[in-house]
Amino acid sequence: MRTLCASTLIGEFFVIGFAGLVAMQMTELPPATIWLVSGIAMLLSLVLCGMLTRPGGVQLGWALQAALIASGFVVPTMFFLGAVFAALWWASVHFGRKIDEAKARWAAQSEAADEPAGKPA
């Protein structure tokens, strides 16, 4: 799961940066405000890459997805891009967990096959 989710977050890092550039041209907000908000969101996406296996990491990822969609109020295209990344986040979490479960089953089967026959473990 970690690899898929981290890939999504790295993609979001770049999209947030580019959205900040667009927001500077489209809005009357001060550039310092735009870069403070964008910078925090970009930093959060990088920090989340390392927090995915910790409690609350996936939930913080969902919060970032909601913020990305909400940024559509500043840059309307972000409604669409935020929804796309939210779908990617869901797929990364959902299929990543399935892959992790399959790997665990395969490792358990492999370990069981390696035990000598007739000897208790």
Side-chain angles (χ1 to χ4, degrees):
M1 177 180 79
R2 184 173 183 213
T3 303
L4 291 173
C5 289
S7 298
T8 301
L9 290 168
I10 295 298
E12 285 180 15
F13 173 86
F14 290 107
V15 167
I16 293 166
F18 291 131
L21 291 172
V22 172
M24 286 181 57
Q25 301 299 316
M26 290 184 64
T27 67
E28 297 298 321
L29 293 171
T33 302
I34 292 170
W35 288 115
L36 177 66
V37 173
S38 296
I40 290 171
M42 291 170 75
L43 182 63
L44 180 60
S45 69
L46 289 179
V47 169
L48 278 173
C49 288
M51 291 181 56
L52 290 169
T53 57
R54 297 177 191 251
V58 173
Q59 288 77 13
L60 280 173
W62 280 114
L64 181 63
Q65 305 315 309
L68 206 60
I69 293 170
S71 70
F73 289 108
V74 178
V75 179
T77 306
M78 292 305 293
F79 284 124
F80 173 73
L81 288 175
V84 167
F85 273 98
L88 286 171
W89 182 254
W90 175 84
S92 297
V93 171
H94 178 75
F95 293 112
R97 286 183 176 157
K98 285 189 172 203
I99 290 169
D100 289 347
E101 290 170 4
K103 283 182 180 178
R105 273 194 314 272
W106 182 78
Q109 290 172 351
S110 178
E111 190 175 295
D114 289 343
E115 289 180 9
K119 291 190 177 181

